[in-house]
Amino acid sequence: MTQISKLFTPVTLGPLTLRNRTIRSAAFESMCPGNKPSQQLLDYHTAVARGGVGMTTVAYAAVTRSGLSFDRQLWMRPDIVPGLRTLTEAVHRAGAAASIQLGHCGNMSHRSICGCTPVGASTGFNLYSPTFVRGLRADELPGMARAYGDAVRLAHEAGFDAVEVHAGHGYLISQFLSPYTNHRRDLYGGSLENRMRFMDMVMAEVMEAAARTGTAVLVKVNMRDGFRGGMEIDECLQVARRLEQSGAHALVLSGGFVSKAPMYVMRGEMPIRTMTHYMTQWWLKYGVRMVGKWMIPTVPFKEAYFLDDALRFRQELKMPLVYVGGLVARKKIDEVLDCGFEAVQMGRALLNDPGFVNRMRDEDCARCGCRHSNYCIARMYTLDMACHQRLQEPLPKALAREIEEIEKRQATDGE
């Protein structure tokens, strides 16, 4: 019999106790046409739950329509609650808890998706959409914060045990926190104390709603923005301490800006030919093919790539911390948990193998089959997130060749 490790012991996060210390991270599925849950979304999360995970997190759900960044993304509103409840009931029957990530994309949208001029911490131009962005007025911020609290109440009505507030990766809360995107001259800009004001407003609404509904609250935060001119670890530690004071039940420690340093978040190389193959707008397809390598520079992948920074946060904070980033093998997961983290999150590992957690229970040296080509991410922007190893249809030859070359480079770099 395999010796049971800390990995397979229960863990308590606020009002919620999980059967083990694994959480499916809020990796965007792109499985919600019409901004509502689909059978595909239910089937995937149910498979992960049956695969042994302690809690599965439904990815990014916009708290308002203006917070949508993709047309296959959830938008929290009353009419999708029944569909979400069907999903959470299926997850619970499989023995796992269910969480949903709540956020607002801020400037990372387009009128064709969100129905208005995109809004953010400051007025400007988003090259990645591309579109002009309107800075939110101070009198709009309380209503935006209340939208997060309303989303928590909807999540509870839909049967979710926990919510994950997205305060990292260059989304709206992160846009207020970072000096790179916050150029305001009012009470919400300038000093870090001012830049945290919007986050404070959101957390007050979220924690009040969570207290009334018995919902666990996790918050995803950056440990660094991942580029010069963004937030570094000292300021991010101050943000984490403020979230600890706000009463958040756990922090998910991450890093990077998806609009500025996307591969700092995900690591590895972006398969540009694959990404553009699935795009439908000809001008975007050829534009990204020409400048994609410059816009999305490679950041080398290694196992547990955020661990060094996360250990600094573990030393400074008393609250539960969830580690995410580059976990593909039980040996490294056990090592991370032994460093004092309460739980771990995995995304691509569970896309590659939804039953990976059960396999880790049986195999001391279990390792998922992900080879870090990032095909799943390249495809995600237009279709659903899927591992190329699990596709029913063969890849076009040009894409198969690109993925094979990236995987060879990754294997060489990892030696």
Side-chain angles (χ1 to χ4, degrees), residues 98-400:
S99 178
I100 187 167
Q101 186 186 67
L102 304 175
H104 189 293
C105 70
N107 63 18
M108 292 186 289
S109 189
H110 193 276
R111 179 183 291 273
S112 61
I113 295 170
C114 67
C116 63
T117 299
V119 295
S122 299
T123 298
F125 187 82
N126 180 7
L127 177 65
Y128 293 83
S129 286
T131 185
F132 287 100
V133 178
R134 178 179 68 82
L136 286 161
R137 301 187 310 272
D139 63 359
E140 294 177 290
L141 299 183
M144 185 65 76
R146 283 194 296 273
Y148 283 81
D150 291 340
V152 173
R153 285 182 277 271
L154 287 174
H156 170 71
E157 187 179 343
F160 287 97
D161 308 285
V163 297
E164 179 182 295
V165 177
H166 204 333
H169 295 179
Y171 290 90
L172 184 61
I173 296 174
S174 183
Q175 288 168 29
F176 272 88
L177 292 172
S178 179
Y180 172 73
T181 43
N182 187 337
H183 308 133
R184 301 175 71 102
R185 296 185 179 182
D186 60 5
L187 290 175
Y188 298 92
S191 68
L192 178 59
E193 187 66 28
N194 281 357
R195 286 183 273 131
M196 288 193 291
R197 288 181 189 273
F198 176 63
M199 181 185 76
D200 291 342
M201 294 170 64
V202 169
M203 290 305 297
E205 296 285 347
V206 165
M207 296 312 298
E208 179 181 0
R212 291 179 179 274
T213 58
T215 304
V217 176
L218 293 78
V219 184
K220 177 168 280 186
V221 292
N222 277 6
M223 297 181 290
R224 300 178 194 266
D225 284 351
F227 56 91
R228 183 177 298 178
M231 293 180 73
E232 295 294 342
I233 195 166
D234 289 340
E235 279 199 331
C236 290
L237 271 168
Q238 293 182 58
V239 171
R241 293 191 192 100
R242 181 63 65 88
L243 289 166
E244 185 173 43
Q245 294 167 6
S246 76
H249 301 126
L251 299 185
V252 180
L253 302 175
S254 190
F257 254 55
V258 294
S259 63
K260 176 70 175 176
M263 301 319 291
Y264 188 87
V265 182
M266 298 172 281
R267 302 300 166 102
E269 181 178 344
M270 179 63 77
I272 298 298
R273 177 173 288 277
T274 297
M275 174 185 272
T276 57
H277 171 82
Y278 294 113
M279 289 177 172
T280 55
Q281 298 116 318
W282 67 266
W283 57 271
L284 186 60
K285 180 189 293 278
Y286 290 103
V288 172
R289 188 164 292 183
M290 286 189 295
V291 301
K293 291 292 184 183
W294 170 76
M295 293 178 66
I296 313 174
T298 297
V299 181
F301 176 91
K302 68 173 184 178
E303 282 192 62
Y305 50 79
F306 281 140
L307 184 56
D308 288 344
D309 282 348
L311 288 171
R312 175 86 179 273
F313 280 69
R314 181 67 287 168
Q315 291 171 355
E316 299 283 342
L317 301 168
K318 296 180 180 179
M319 67 184 302
L321 299 178
V322 179
Y323 177 85
V324 65
L327 294 181
V328 294
R330 175 173 165 176
K331 182 177 179 181
K332 182 61 72 171
I333 289 171
D334 282 335
E335 178 185 322
V336 167
L337 290 172
D338 287 343
C339 288
F341 297 95
E342 276 70 23
V344 296
Q345 282 194 356
M346 294 172 284
R348 284 167 287 186
L350 296 177
L351 188 69
N352 171 263
D353 183 359
F356 184 48
V357 176
N358 280 341
R359 193 152 65 82
M360 286 194 291
R361 183 182 290 276
D362 297 330
E363 303 172 24
D364 286 336
C365 297
R367 174 179 288 270
C368 78
C370 179
R371 297 194 289 266
H372 322 301
S373 69
N374 290 321
Y375 168 87
C376 57
I377 297 166
R379 172 192 171 103
M380 171 195 78
Y381 292 100
T382 307
L383 300 176
D384 57 329
M385 194 180 195
C387 178
H388 70 92
Q389 298 175 44
R390 298 178 64 86
L391 295 179
Q392 299 298 314
E393 70 281 2
L395 283 177
K397 290 183 179 179
L399 303 194

Side-chain angles (χ1 to χ4, degrees), residues 24-29 57-60 101 164 220 345-346:
R24 189 268 180 186
S25 69
F28 178 48
E29 308 94 347
T57 311
V58 175
Y60 188 91
Q101 186 186 67
E164 179 182 295
K220 177 168 280 186
Q345 282 194 356
M346 294 172 284

Side-chain angles (χ1 to χ4, degrees), residues 30-41:
S30 192
M31 297 177 184
C32 299
N35 310 123
K36 57 187 178 182
S38 64
Q39 185 65 42
Q40 184 185 20
L41 185 75

